[in-house]
Amino acid sequence: MLCSACMKKKKVGLYLDAGPACGGTYQYNHLMLEALMQLPASEYEPVVFYGSPHWQSLLEKNQIRGQLIQVPKIWQKMAGLWRRLKFPLSFWHHFAKWGHPLARAMLKEQCSLWIFPSQDAYAYLMPVPSLAAVHDLMHRYETRFPEVGAKKEYARREYHYQNTCKWAKGILVDSPLGKEQAMESYQITANACHVLPYIANRYIVQIRPSIDFDQKYSLPKKYLFYPAQFWQHKNHENLLKAVAICRQTIPDIQLVLVGSPKNHYQQVIELIKELKLEANVHILGLVDEQDIPEFYRRARALIMPTFFGPTNIPPLEAFALECPVAISDIYGMKSQLGDAALFFNPLDVKQISETINLLWLDDSLGAELKNKGKTHHENKGFSQFNVHFQKIMEDVLFKKYRT
């Protein structure tokens, strides 16, 4: 219960700094924006800044007042140099107050809290009280992947998360396991670490594909779907090997891949040729945001052999769009999805192929997974997310006044 002293309306800011190419981080920015705008207007006044011009049309469409703050390259370079040299951030905060355009704009708003959902450095570079997201700490738990475990990248991430956890007023994590890992890694107190489980964005069910969808993509009538940037940890390699096994008994097996080229893209292309899967695998690159839901709707199933967790957003999107799900049995995935998905060992190509066979051939299983996924989505949707979010706002802003 909140006492009368803390009932004064609080101004809360949100900084959006991720575009569609950022995958799950971009989806999380959407969730934060929706949740912020649903806070009781009698208690909260939202302020939205954005660093990517992509957000302007979305904010205007939803009649949300936002301000574009583009940081000059000179300030970006100075901040990068400051971090590389590991100068004290307390000095940077004092310096930024007087010249950094984003810092000055944020201070001018006099918000009680700024939310940073993109895992960006502004969560600790800006001299404002912050609530910062830590989506995963896989650089500590999956060091075999160079995109997170290479020496320089590991050091960069360690500096980033150490300072995020040191300077932020609160930390947002995706799951109890995410909280456990954050506390274990950076000695965060339990009260400062807040679990806010991912959900599918509401807009993913509402938006419709572009008029020329069929002309743009020419999708097969029946296919498995994997939306993922081509990082090594996304495990396209074992998925392709599994598809090659399945093709021996299912010659018309089809797999559709969408996502930006990353460090493992060329190896994926070469493996497709080596396995002679050119007629079975369709790589469409980064597709339009409004078209992604239609890929789920038409897919036989989502197949996701990732090595990263603790949890993930795509299976929740699939649930919302009544698309069956099969995913890696890693970290917190079973806790997140329960019995609404099939699980497999992402290292076991044979097990992945057996899962694909089930998804492709068993219509009754597909129908069962659709129903379970739909129920999961309905039981853990936006209303529940908003309740959690508002509770976190109260804890971060008012906890010292609680009675």
Side-chain angles (χ1 to χ4, degrees):
M1 179 179 178
L2 298 176
C3 67
S4 59
C6 58
M7 291 305 292
K8 181 181 177 182
K9 184 183 286 192
K10 293 289 185 178
K11 205 172 184 181
V12 177
L14 173 66
Y15 183 67
L16 304 169
D17 192 30
C22 295
T25 301
Y26 172 68
Q27 303 300 336
Y28 195 68
N29 274 247
H30 261 283
L31 285 176
M32 288 293 107
L33 178 60
E34 279 199 66
L36 180 67
M37 303 315 295
Q38 292 297 317
L39 289 174
S42 60
E43 299 175 35
Y44 299 91
E45 179 184 348
V47 176
V48 180
F49 285 1
Y50 55 101
S52 170
H54 166 84
W55 290 98
Q56 184 172 348
S57 59
L58 178 70
L59 293 170
E60 290 175 352
K61 180 180 177 182
N62 290 280
Q63 298 180 320
I64 299 172
R65 183 177 65 86
Q67 184 176 347
L68 174 63
I69 306 286
Q70 292 185 304
V71 178
K73 286 187 178 180
I74 183 64
W75 276 102
Q76 296 178 33
K77 290 179 179 178
M78 288 170 61
L81 179 63
W82 200 282
R83 282 178 286 165
R84 282 195 299 276
L85 296 176
K86 297 184 178 179
F87 289 158
L89 286 175
S90 55
F91 292 167
W92 170 267
H93 291 162
H94 181 75
F95 180 47
K97 287 179 183 180
W98 303 105
H100 196 290
L102 182 58
R104 293 181 67 182
M106 286 183 168
L107 289 168
K108 184 179 179 180
E109 291 290 342
Q110 296 184 318
C111 290
S112 300
L113 188 70
W114 278 92
I115 304 169
F116 295 89
S118 301
Q119 293 197 138
D120 55 47
Y122 291 134
Y124 55 85
L125 289 176
M126 294 297 98
V128 294
S130 66
L131 177 63
V134 171
H135 298 309
D136 70 72
L137 297 172
M138 291 296 105
H139 70 290
R140 279 179 162 254
Y141 297 92
E142 296 288 351
T143 55
R144 67 187 187 272
F145 295 106
E147 56 264 35
V148 297
K151 186 175 180 180
K152 287 185 178 179
E153 180 61 20
Y154 183 93
R156 185 191 70 80
R157 287 174 179 255
E158 272 298 283
Y159 177 88
H160 172 81
Y161 291 117
Q162 285 174 3
N163 281 292
T164 297
C165 295
K166 175 181 178 180
W167 291 96
K169 190 171 183 178
I171 300 295
L172 289 173
V173 294
D174 66 329
S175 62
L177 179 58
K179 180 173 182 173
E180 179 184 318
Q181 291 179 343
M183 292 174 62
E184 174 183 74
S185 299
Y186 302 114
Q187 292 74 55
I188 309 169
T189 63
N191 289 337
C193 199
H194 307 275
V195 176
L196 185 63
Y198 297 143
I199 61 166
N201 284 298
R202 185 157 34 195
Y203 82 90
I204 202 165
V205 178
Q206 300 169 339
I207 60 176
R208 286 293 174 260
S210 51
I211 297 174
D212 59 346
F213 181 92
D214 290 314
Q215 289 71 36
K216 278 197 292 187
Y217 305 115
S218 299
L219 294 176
K221 288 185 178 179
K222 185 177 179 181
Y223 61 89
L224 299 172
F225 181 46
Y226 187 26
Q229 300 180 69
F230 287 81
W231 293 111
Q232 185 178 348
H233 73 265
K234 296 297 185 179
N235 200 20
H236 291 87
E237 182 178 341
N238 283 350
L239 177 57
L240 293 173
K241 290 177 180 177
V243 169
I245 293 173
C246 292
R247 191 184 54 179
Q248 297 172 14
T249 54
I250 312 173
D252 64 339
I253 189 81
Q254 300 290 316
L255 173 66
V256 172
L257 305 174
V258 303
S260 305
K262 296 295 181 182
N263 71 341
H264 214 56
Y265 180 77
Q266 195 55 44
Q267 289 92 324
V268 170
I269 298 297
E270 291 171 2
L271 185 58
I272 289 171
K273 293 178 181 177
E274 179 185 328
L275 297 173
K276 296 180 171 55
L277 290 173
E278 292 92 338
N280 304 91
V281 179
H282 310 265
I283 297 180
L284 303 180
L286 184 64
V287 302
D288 291 341
E289 177 193 356
Q290 74 176 104
D291 292 335
I292 285 290
E294 191 67 13
F295 282 89
Y296 283 113
R297 291 189 188 100
R298 299 188 185 194
R300 180 70 175 184
L302 167 71
I303 182 86
M304 190 168 180
T306 182
F307 285 111
F308 278 17
T311 63
N312 284 280
I313 292 177
L316 302 177
E317 295 177 335
F319 286 170
L321 296 162
E322 299 184 37
C323 173
V325 172
I327 193 165
S328 302
D329 185 3
I330 55 165
Y331 295 108
M333 294 310 306
K334 276 188 175 175
S335 296
Q336 181 190 29
L337 307 178
D339 67 350
L342 299 182
F343 297 91
F344 53 79
N345 180 350
L347 290 169
D348 190 334
V349 172
K350 185 173 183 292
Q351 195 176 121
I352 298 173
S353 70
E354 291 170 350
T355 304
I356 290 174
N357 271 318
L358 285 172
L359 292 169
W360 195 264
L361 299 173
D362 193 334
D363 291 341
S364 62
L365 175 63
E368 180 185 350
L369 289 172
K370 281 185 180 182
N371 290 332
K372 287 184 175 180
K374 183 180 179 182
T375 300
H376 185 286
H377 171 67
E378 290 171 349
N379 291 339
K380 297 183 179 180
F382 187 71
S383 59
Q384 292 87 351
F385 183 89
N386 192 46
V387 169
H388 284 307
F389 181 74
Q390 185 173 343
K391 171 66 164 56
I392 291 169
M393 289 297 99
E394 292 177 3
D395 284 347
V396 175
L397 291 170
F398 305 125
K399 59 186 176 182
K400 63 183 177 181
Y401 299 114
R402 282 188 170 274
T403 58

